[in-house]
Amino acid sequence: MGSDATTRRSGDGGYTTSTAFLEALAEGGVEYVFGNLGSDHPGILEAYALARAEGREHTLPRLVICPHESVAMAAALGHAQVSGVAQVVLAHVECGTQNIGGMLHNAAKGRTGVLMYAGASPFTQDGELFGSRNEFIQWIQDVHDQRGIVRGYTKYDNEIRTGANVKQLVRRAVQIASSSPAGPVYLVGPREVMEAEAPPQRADPAQFPPVAPAALAPDTVERVASALAGARQPVVVTSYLGRDRAAVPELVRLCEAAGAGVLESVPMHVNFPADHPLHWGYQWNDQHHNPLLESADVVLVLGSDVPWIPTRNRPSADARVFVVDEDPLKEQMPLWHVPAELFARADLATAVRQLRERVAELAEPSAVAARRATAEAEHERLFEQRSRREVPDGETITPEYLVALVRNLVDDDTLVLTESITNYPAVSWHLRRNTPGSLLGSGGGSLGWALGAAVGAKLAAPDRTVVSLVGDGSYLFGVPSSAFWLARRYDAPSLTIVFDNNGWNAPKASALGVHPDGTAARHDDFGVDFTPQADLAGIAAAAGGAWGRTVKAAGELPGALAEAYSVVRSGRAAVLAVQVPGL
């Protein structure tokens, strides 16, 4: 019996669970399946092959082959961040699921919708069902709780147990992934189930929309708007409001109506136009007090996980603080609290629109004009002070000089990805992006996002130029050999500019923050240098045919940047490694 069941070709040419699964993705608007394939995926490969043979490949999402799961996940995230539509990652059982780990963290913390699908080791071993075990690895990859690997990060996980309702499961998963706050979901399917014949089925995607945006209650609008309208020095703090590009102009109108300054704390998006006179700059791991925050009497936190670092920088104890967010209590963070008199859950664009309308009715025009004049003077002082740093130190290339040259090179439509880590502040202060959606970060803390995300972003917006600003550590974490091969195969070129300081500057900064006079500081012994230096540009050239160059002197930089940008706009990936002051 076992032999007959094993050799029976019940999946060939038929309508299987795998076919229904792929159809459900396409019907739900998924364009790409970023896949790293294995022994659990024959049903999916067969479904794609059959579709190609029958001339209906266009009815399924495009399969993008990724040599590493981390790059596949990063590409899916980059696409979703640009398109606003959750994409799919195909991973190989529990091993591939674990390779996704760091990018899964970024999806969860960055609130980006993505559907991860992994097969599972077959659950029969004697040929009882079609697809039964036939390779030694399928015993080794059989673990107790594969879904448990991701459960601390996902919004939803489930197992596909039958083809009869697979479309319903896919629809529900995508609905949850896309509903605010968005995030990753995970489905797993044993090989026997995915190979089995399935009844044709229909699950209308129109009946599984994301949850509609939530508004503030009227009394909440009144309370917050009254505080803003009557404030002496109101300030808005935000980190990720700009994920919704429509929210940015609404925030501009609110701040103009209230005469409020804006601080961006740990920003991963364009949350407020940098050149607007009410912009009060950026906060990262600043180890000093911000007088603009500390002197505010009303603080509105709009979409931020870390609005300030309380041991170093926080509002006055007398300030009135309000928190409005799609996730106001950060329920997935075991330790989190911002002292505030009000926490409200709402869609940010909707809430800001409500507040702006009421503030405009309540605020006294002369008071608003006075507050705006004060805020605008602070803006001029802050950004003029920073502009003076945009020069090289002799032939040494400073990060500020590099970013200023990039700012003058790119246009408003260029999509810039930032994973510059210890140079995040330099990118924020000196790139000064103004157009919503023109700057993206991972939203999380796991390195290696940008290289794969650039591929996904380019596939989502093929007419836009994509530029990534990354640290050398981030670059190596991004599996460049896989990422640049992927970019070449799928015609998704981008320009990667590497801040090459020959090591991990972040761990050194962390050690100095805790032990400023410790043994490591006294002996300059941190163990974080990258000696001998890797040929960062050469990796991309070897793996993906990219244009590559390393620049060490300030005099070479403008010409090298212009050439690299031109190469990318002509359709070829480029990597410019720029040596900046080291560790």
Side-chain angles (χ1 to χ4, degrees):
M1 171 186 164
S3 175
D4 290 342
T6 302
T7 58
R8 186 173 64 246
R9 301 175 64 82
S10 62
D12 293 2
Y15 187 85
T16 65
T17 305
S18 294
T19 304
F21 172 76
L22 295 173
E23 283 184 355
L25 297 177
E27 292 161 2
V30 173
E31 290 188 72
Y32 292 96
V33 170
F34 298 93
N36 187 283
L37 304 170
S39 59
D40 46 332
H41 299 134
I44 287 176
L45 293 177
E46 183 67 18
Y48 270 116
L50 183 60
R52 286 190 291 270
E54 295 178 350
R56 52 179 179 82
E57 183 182 9
H58 63 281
T59 66
L60 303 181
R62 184 180 180 188
L63 178 61
V64 175
I65 303 302
C66 302
H68 195 283
E69 292 89 350
S70 179
V71 175
M73 185 71 166
L77 295 181
H79 191 292
Q81 287 174 291
V82 173
S83 68
V85 179
Q87 301 300 300
V88 173
V89 174
L90 202 67
H92 177 43
V93 295
E94 103 294 3
C95 297
T97 299
Q98 292 182 90
N99 265 348
I100 283 173
M103 294 307 108
L104 171 60
H105 159 94
N106 289 340
K109 302 307 178 183
R111 299 174 180 85
T112 303
V114 63
L115 190 158
M116 301 172 293
Y117 167 81
S121 285
F123 55 78
T124 60
Q125 67 176 13
D126 291 320
E128 299 95 325
L129 296 171
F130 186 75
S132 188
R133 295 183 185 183
N134 62 346
E135 301 176 39
F136 80 89
I137 201 67
Q138 291 157 350
W139 280 267
I140 296 171
Q141 292 171 340
D142 188 6
V143 297
H144 287 294
D145 186 10
Q146 182 173 316
R147 289 156 57 191
I149 296 169
V150 301
R151 197 165 291 130
Y153 298 87
T154 53
K155 294 180 67 181
Y156 170 78
D157 68 85
N158 206 345
E159 178 181 336
I160 300 170
R161 296 183 175 91
T162 171
N165 68 349
V166 64
K167 287 196 174 184
Q168 185 183 78
L169 292 189
V170 169
R171 294 276 190 271
R172 174 166 167 75
V174 172
Q175 181 184 38
I176 293 173
S178 304
S179 293
S180 180
V185 297
Y186 184 71
L187 292 177
V188 61
R191 193 165 74 170
E192 294 93 333
V193 174
M194 300 306 290
E195 293 281 358
E197 291 184 0
Q201 58 194 274
R202 185 175 181 274
D204 187 355
Q207 296 180 354
F208 292 82
V211 172
L216 294 173
D219 60 335
T220 299
V221 173
E222 190 69 22
R223 186 170 167 186
V224 178
S226 296
L228 289 171
R232 170 184 49 80
Q233 182 180 306
V235 63
V236 173
V237 182
T238 183
S239 300
Y240 51 75
L241 172 138
R243 280 207 316 264
D244 180 355
R245 292 161 217 168
V248 177
E250 293 293 343
L251 180 58
V252 170
R253 296 185 189 103
L254 170 63
C255 292
E256 289 175 344
V262 175
L263 284 170
E264 292 193 65
S265 182
V266 197
M268 295 288 179
H269 305 267
V270 175
N271 299 298
F272 197 82
D275 290 343
H276 193 284
L278 293 177
H279 199 298
W280 277 357
Y282 307 89
Q283 297 182 157
W284 287 87
N285 281 332
D286 301 61
Q287 300 298 300
H288 55 79
H289 298 285
N290 187 327
L292 297 175
L293 178 62
E294 293 181 346
S295 61
D297 60 332
V298 173
V299 181
L300 173 59
V301 180
L302 280 174
S304 180
D305 290 331
V306 188
W308 48 80
I309 297 176
T311 57
R312 294 289 187 264
N313 171 37
R314 65 193 306 166
S316 162
D318 298 327
R320 299 185 67 187
V321 180
F322 304 89
V323 175
V324 177
D325 203 324
E326 59 186 9
D327 180 21
L329 295 179
K330 317 301 174 188
E331 295 167 30
Q332 294 304 309
M333 295 184 187
L335 176 63
W336 186 91
H337 180 62
V338 168
E341 66 178 76
L342 180 144
F343 295 85
R345 188 186 306 274
D347 170 73
L348 292 174
T350 303
V352 171
R353 190 178 304 114
Q354 292 177 281
L355 292 172
R356 183 257 303 169
E357 291 171 353
R358 187 59 179 142
V359 166
E361 295 170 347
L362 294 173
E364 202 279 311
S366 62
V368 171
R371 290 197 293 265
R372 288 184 62 170
T374 300
E376 290 171 8
E378 289 291 351
H379 170 87
E380 289 297 325
R381 181 185 67 82
L382 288 166
F383 282 88
E384 171 59 27
Q385 184 182 69
R386 296 284 175 164
S387 294
R388 292 197 290 268
R389 304 182 187 183
E390 295 177 350
V391 292
D393 181 9
E395 279 299 293
T396 299
I397 300 168
T398 63
E400 294 84 359
Y401 176 59
L402 169 58
V403 177
L405 289 179
V406 174
R407 181 186 73 226
N408 295 329
L409 182 69
V410 301
D411 58 24
D412 290 341
D413 191 54
T414 299
L415 179 58
V416 181
L417 277 58
T418 175
E419 195 176 21
S420 48
I421 313 305
T422 53
N423 284 304
Y424 273 140
V427 171
S428 291
W429 279 103
H430 300 280
L431 193 62
R432 300 180 188 175
R433 299 299 275 169
N434 295 301
T435 304
S438 65
L439 178 71
L440 292 177
S442 72
S446 186
L447 303 188
W449 161 84
L451 300 190
V455 176
K458 183 66 175 178
L459 292 175
D463 295 332
R464 299 182 71 177
T465 303
V466 178
V467 176
S468 297
L469 303 176
V470 304
D472 50 354
S474 299
Y475 181 86
L476 293 171
F477 265 95
V479 198
S481 57
S482 176
F484 287 102
W485 176 90
L486 187 68
R488 185 181 196 180
R489 171 160 174 159
Y490 294 100
D491 192 24
S494 66
L495 168 59
T496 304
I497 300 169
V498 186
F499 294 81
D500 184 2
N501 60 12
N502 193 34
W504 284 313
N505 208 21
K508 179 178 178 179
S510 297
L512 289 171
V514 178
H515 301 286
D517 301 312
T519 305
R522 291 197 304 272
H523 294 274
D524 193 22
D525 181 14
F526 297 92
V528 293
D529 69 275
F530 284 169
T531 303
Q533 283 186 279
D535 181 0
L536 303 179
I539 296 171
W547 177 97
R549 184 173 172 185
T550 297
V551 176
K552 302 179 181 180
E556 304 171 14
L557 184 57
L561 269 173
E563 183 179 353
Y565 194 64
S566 176
V567 165
V568 168
R569 290 175 70 90
S570 72
R572 181 184 176 193
V575 173
L576 185 65
V578 182
Q579 294 192 358
V580 296
L583 297 169

